Amino acid sequence: MKLGTLAGDGRDGRLVVVSRDLAWCADARHIAPTLQAALDDWDRVAPLLESLSVDLAHEAIPMMRFHERQALSPLPRAYQWADGSAYVNHVELVRRARGAELPESFWTDPLMYQGASDGFLAPRAAIPLADEAWGCDLEAEVAVVTGDVPAGASRDEALGAIRLVGLVNDVSLRNLIPAELAKGFGFVQSKPASALSPVLVTPDELGDWWQDGKLHRTLKVDLNGAPLGRADAGEDMTFDFGTLVAHLAKTRDVAAGSVVGSGTVSNRDADGGPGRPVQDGGLGYSCLAEQRMIETIRSGAPVTPFLKKGDTVRIWMDDDHGHPIFGTIEQTVG
Amino acid sequence: MKLGTLAGDGRDGRLVVVSRDLAWCADARHIAPTLQAALDDWDRVAPLLESLSVDLAHEAIPMMRFHERQALSPLPRAYQWADGSAYVNHVELVRRARGAELPESFWTDPLMYQGASDGFLAPRAAIPLADEAWGCDLEAEVAVVTGDVPAGASRDEALGAIRLVGLVNDVSLRNLIPAELAKGFGFVQSKPASALSPVLVTPDELGDWWQDGKLHRTLKVDLNGAPLGRADAGEDMTFDFGTLVAHLAKTRDVAAGSVVGSGTVSNRDADGGPGRPVQDGGLGYSCLAEQRMIETIRSGAPVTPFLKKGDTVRIWMDDDHGHPIFGTIEQTVG
C-alpha cells in the first residue's frame, strides 16, 4: 500500500491511503490520525490500512483526488533521520573532488550521520536558500522508515523492521561541509531540511524491485527539465538497508518512525570508472557535486554551478508503465 | 513553572504540572495531552499551564504525589537533540587526553552535533550497556527546549525562543568515539540514548540564576555516592544558549520541542589550569573522561575506569534550600 499525508489540524497533518496510480486517496484518520501514530502501533494498524487500501482500489469507499502538490511530507517531522553513504562510489568521488583520500574501512564500515528530522519539506515546497554562496546541492536518495528496532539487532532483524520505502532529496550546502567535516562532529549547518517523496510505500508493494534490502530501479533526477541522473539504485549499493539500520542500532534502540537514508545514489560507469553525464550516454549523477568532480578531472575545474534561485529539481522513480511509484519530488530553489 | 511527564496511553506519556518542591503534581491533559503538544502551541497553552501551576501551589485543585522514580523523560522522544560543546575547557581537556590539538576556531565557532532524539531514557532508568569495552561515560549538562526558531535567527531571537531549561546525562561510549570522529560524520554509535531530568522548568522560574542564556548554579554529580563534580554551569561557558540555538538555526528552521545541550559542564581551576578532583578541594568533573585526562597528566595513565555494570550516577542542581530544582537524574549501569 501507499501512504501519504495531507494538511490537517496539527503539525503532523492527517494520514491518507493513496491508490497505486496516485490519483485517489482515502481518509485513514479513523484508523490512525497520522503516519507516526500508525508506525507507533503498526502491527495492529497496518492490516486495517491494508484493508482500506483494497477498498480504495475497488472504489468501495468514499475517495478524494490525491494531488501531489497538496501533499505534505508523509512524515512532516520525525523522531530520527539518519543518513548512510551506501554508494561508496559517490563518497569516493566527492572526496576526490575535495582532494581527500578514501579510507579503506569505508568499504566495510558504513558512513552515517544523524540529520535534522524536526521538519521535512513538503515534496513540492521550495528549497529555502538564504545565500547562494553556501553552494546548495541536491542529493537524490532512497530512504526507508523503520518500526522499532532493538539495540544490537542483526542485519536480518533490521531488514525485517523496515515498514516503508520512499525517496528523499537530502539538500546539502557544499561550501559549508568542509569546515564541519574538519570538526568531526558531523553536519549541522551544512544539511538543512530534506524533502521526502509524496508517498511512502510498503516493501510488498515493490515486488521484485525490493530485494535483499535494495531497491532495484532507476532513480530519475532532472535539473531544470534536463536529465541529470538515471542511476540504478540497486547497483553499486555497498551496504543494503538492513546493514544500514543495524549499524544505526548497534548501541541503542531505534524507535518506530526513524527515517534511514541510502546516501546519494551513484553508479560507476560500465568500464568501472566514474559515470558519464546522461547527455554523453552515461547514467549521470544524483547530485551536482559528482558532476562537478568529473568536470574537474576532465578540465581541471568544475563547470556546473551549484543550485541558484529559480532552479528546479525533480526526483522520481517510474514503474513499468512510466508512472512514478512514490510520486515526484519537485522543488524550486527559493 | 515546572513540567513533567508520567506514563500515559501512548509513547509520549501525559503532561503534569509539578509543584516547586517536586512533591505534588496536577494532571494537565485538559490543557495539552503531552509536553510536545504544549510546545507545539505554546503561546496559547503556556498561560493556561501557568494558571494551573498557581492553583497547584495554592492547593486549589486535585493533586497527586509526584514521584521522580515514576516519571518518564519530560520528552520521552523529541524531534531534535542537538548538543553543543559550550565549555571549551572540557573540549580542550578531552582532546588533550586523545593527543589531539584544539583548533583556535573552537573558541569562536561552536562545536555541535546532531544526536539521537527518538528515545530519551527516563531519569531513573538504567543505562543499557551491552559491552563495558565500549568505555561508557556520563556527561552532565544543562539543556534547553526551544519553541519555533526561524532560520537565520539572531542570538537574541534564539534566546527569546527558549521555553524550558533542564539537565541531561549525555551518555557517551568513549572507546567508540575516536573512530567515528575520524570519519567526520559525527556520533552515531558512540552516543546512545540520553536522559533528561525529571522536570523541565521555565526560565522565569529560575530567577537570577538564569542570566544571558547561562544557568548560574552548581551542577552536582555523584558517582557511586561520592562527589565527582561540583562545577558552576554559569562559569567558563564560552557560548551561551542563545548563541548555541542561533548556531543550530543558521541555515534552517528549528522546530518547537528541539532540545539543545550545553555539552559537558566544566570549570577551570582557580589558577586557570585544569580542575582538581572534589576530594582534593577542586570542583571536580562532570564526566569521567576529564578525570582520566588529569590522571594521565599527573601519572602518565588514567586510573579511574569508565562506568561498569552496577555503577550509579547522580546528577542534580540544588536551590538555596538544598532541594533539587530539576529533580535528580539517578541511573545505574545495567
Side-chain angles (χ1 to χ4, degrees):
Chain A
M1 67 179 156
K2 302 191 176 190
L3 299 174
T5 295
L6 298 179
D9 293 335
R11 294 178 184 232
D12 301 302
R14 62 193 170 102
L15 180 63
V16 291
V17 170
V18 185
S19 63
R20 181 164 289 182
D21 64 2
L22 306 186
W24 299 94
C25 65
D27 196 308
R29 276 179 294 185
H30 58 293
I31 299 172
T34 65
L35 180 52
Q36 181 64 50
L39 290 158
D40 284 348
D41 196 16
W42 189 254
D43 288 345
R44 188 184 66 80
V45 164
L48 301 173
L49 293 175
E50 290 282 4
S51 174
L52 189 67
S53 176
V54 171
D55 287 348
L56 175 64
H58 294 162
E59 303 183 11
I61 48 169
M63 48 202 249
M64 316 168 276
R65 294 297 304 210
F66 180 73
H67 298 292
E68 295 182 30
R69 66 176 185 278
Q70 291 174 347
L72 302 185
S73 179
L75 288 168
R77 52 185 178 174
Y79 294 104
Q80 181 153 252
W81 158 235
D83 196 13
S85 289
Y87 301 85
V88 181
N89 183 50
H90 162 79
V91 181
E92 190 170 35
L93 291 173
V94 171
R95 292 231 159 194
R96 206 191 297 178
R98 280 207 310 270
E101 273 194 28
L102 185 81
E104 193 57 34
S105 64
F106 280 22
W107 293 100
T108 53
D109 178 37
L111 271 184
M112 183 176 282
Y113 72 91
Q114 196 94 32
S117 58
D118 61 321
F120 286 101
L121 301 173
R124 302 294 169 94
I127 298 172
L129 180 62
D131 188 347
E132 287 184 353
W134 289 342
C136 187
D137 198 356
L138 68 142
E139 287 196 351
E141 310 187 2
V142 179
V144 299
V145 179
T146 73
D148 291 305
V149 186
S154 69
R155 177 260 182 192
D156 285 352
E157 289 165 343
L159 189 57
I162 291 172
R163 301 284 178 252
L164 298 166
V165 182
L167 305 180
V168 61
N169 179 16
D170 177 40
V171 179
S172 299
L173 302 174
R174 296 285 179 203
N175 294 338
L176 302 185
I177 285 181
E180 290 205 313
L181 268 182
K183 294 200 279 188
F185 273 40
F187 312 106
V188 172
Q189 297 179 337
S190 52
K191 293 276 188 180
S194 301
L196 299 176
S197 48
V199 302
L200 301 174
V201 314
T202 47
D204 66 288
E205 178 80 27
L206 297 165
D208 288 345
W209 303 331
W210 179 254
Q211 277 184 42
D212 295 326
K214 300 181 184 182
L215 183 55
H216 296 268
R217 205 73 195 151
T218 300
L219 181 64
K220 300 190 173 180
V221 186
D222 279 5
L223 174 61
N224 296 327
L228 177 69
R230 295 293 184 266
D232 187 327
E235 294 294 316
D236 298 320
M237 190 185 191
T238 306
F239 306 107
D240 71 284
F241 275 107
T243 302
L244 292 176
V245 173
H247 180 85
L248 179 64
K250 181 181 175 188
T251 61
R252 56 178 158 99
D253 296 339
V254 169
S258 292
V259 188
V260 178
S262 67
T264 306
V265 174
S266 176
N267 286 171
R268 293 175 176 279
D269 207 28
D271 65 3
R276 283 165 297 147
V278 175
Q279 288 74 9
D280 298 349
L283 298 174
Y285 318 102
S286 305
C287 69
L288 295 172
E290 247 184 73
Q291 177 151 17
R292 287 164 56 90
M293 182 273 158
I294 308 294
E295 292 164 353
T296 302
I297 289 178
R298 287 187 179 169
S299 65
V303 177
T304 304
F306 286 122
L307 295 173
K308 300 179 300 295
K309 291 184 185 184
D311 282 345
T312 296
V313 171
R314 296 182 78 231
I315 298 169
W316 78 105
M317 188 175 270
D318 283 329
D319 65 16
D320 288 337
H321 308 289
H323 296 137
I325 302 166
F326 307 100
T328 303
I329 298 172
E330 183 171 326
Q331 300 186 277
T332 299
V333 180
Chain B
M1 67 178 158
K2 303 190 176 191
L3 300 174
T5 295
L6 298 179
D9 294 334
R11 294 178 185 231
D12 300 302
R14 60 191 171 103
L15 179 63
V16 291
V17 171
V18 184
S19 63
R20 181 164 289 180
D21 64 3
L22 306 187
W24 299 93
C25 66
D27 196 307
R29 275 179 295 185
H30 58 293
I31 298 173
T34 66
L35 181 52
Q36 181 64 50
L39 290 158
D40 284 349
D41 196 15
W42 188 254
D43 289 344
R44 187 185 67 78
V45 164
L48 302 173
L49 293 174
E50 289 283 3
S51 174
L52 188 67
S53 175
V54 171
D55 287 348
L56 175 64
H58 293 163
E59 302 182 12
I61 48 169
M63 48 204 249
M64 315 168 277
R65 294 297 305 211
F66 180 75
H67 298 294
E68 295 183 30
R69 66 176 184 278
Q70 291 175 347
L72 302 185
S73 179
L75 288 167
R77 52 184 179 173
Y79 293 103
Q80 180 153 252
W81 160 235
D83 196 13
S85 290
Y87 301 85
V88 180
N89 183 50
H90 162 79
V91 181
E92 191 170 34
L93 290 173
V94 172
R95 291 231 160 195
R96 206 191 297 178
R98 280 208 310 270
E101 272 195 29
L102 184 82
E104 193 58 33
S105 65
F106 280 22
W107 293 100
T108 53
D109 178 37
L111 271 184
M112 183 176 283
Y113 72 90
Q114 196 94 34
S117 59
D118 60 322
F120 285 103
L121 301 173
R124 303 293 169 94
I127 298 172
L129 180 62
D131 188 347
E132 288 184 353
W134 289 342
C136 187
D137 198 355
L138 68 142
E139 288 196 350
E141 310 187 2
V142 179
V144 299
V145 179
T146 74
D148 290 305
V149 186
S154 69
R155 177 259 181 193
D156 287 353
E157 289 165 343
L159 190 56
I162 291 173
R163 301 283 177 252
L164 298 166
V165 182
L167 306 180
V168 62
N169 179 16
D170 176 41
V171 179
S172 298
L173 302 174
R174 296 286 178 201
N175 294 338
L176 303 185
I177 285 181
E180 289 205 312
L181 268 183
K183 293 201 279 187
F185 273 40
F187 312 105
V188 172
Q189 296 179 338
S190 53
K191 293 276 188 179
S194 301
L196 299 176
S197 48
V199 301
L200 301 175
V201 313
T202 47
D204 67 288
E205 178 82 25
L206 297 165
D208 288 345
W209 303 329
W210 179 253
Q211 277 185 44
D212 295 328
K214 299 181 184 181
L215 183 55
H216 296 269
R217 205 73 195 152
T218 298
L219 181 64
K220 299 188 174 181
V221 185
D222 280 4
L223 174 61
N224 296 328
L228 177 69
R230 295 292 184 268
D232 187 326
E235 294 295 313
D236 297 318
M237 190 184 192
T238 305
F239 307 107
D240 71 283
F241 275 107
T243 301
L244 292 176
V245 174
H247 180 86
L248 180 63
K250 182 181 174 186
T251 61
R252 56 179 159 98
D253 296 339
V254 169
S258 292
V259 188
V260 178
S262 67
T264 306
V265 174
S266 175
N267 287 172
R268 293 177 176 276
D269 207 28
D271 66 3
R276 282 165 296 147
V278 175
Q279 288 74 6
D280 297 350
L283 298 174
Y285 318 101
S286 305
C287 69
L288 295 172
E290 250 185 68
Q291 177 152 15
R292 287 165 56 90
M293 182 273 160
I294 308 292
E295 292 164 354
T296 303
I297 290 178
R298 287 189 179 168
S299 64
V303 178
T304 305
F306 286 122
L307 295 174
K308 300 178 300 295
K309 292 186 184 181
D311 282 345
T312 296
V313 171
R314 295 182 77 230
I315 298 169
W316 78 103
M317 188 176 271
D318 282 330
D319 66 15
D320 288 337
H321 308 290
H323 298 136
I325 302 166
F326 307 100
T328 302
I329 297 172
E330 184 171 326
Q331 299 186 277
T332 299
V333 179

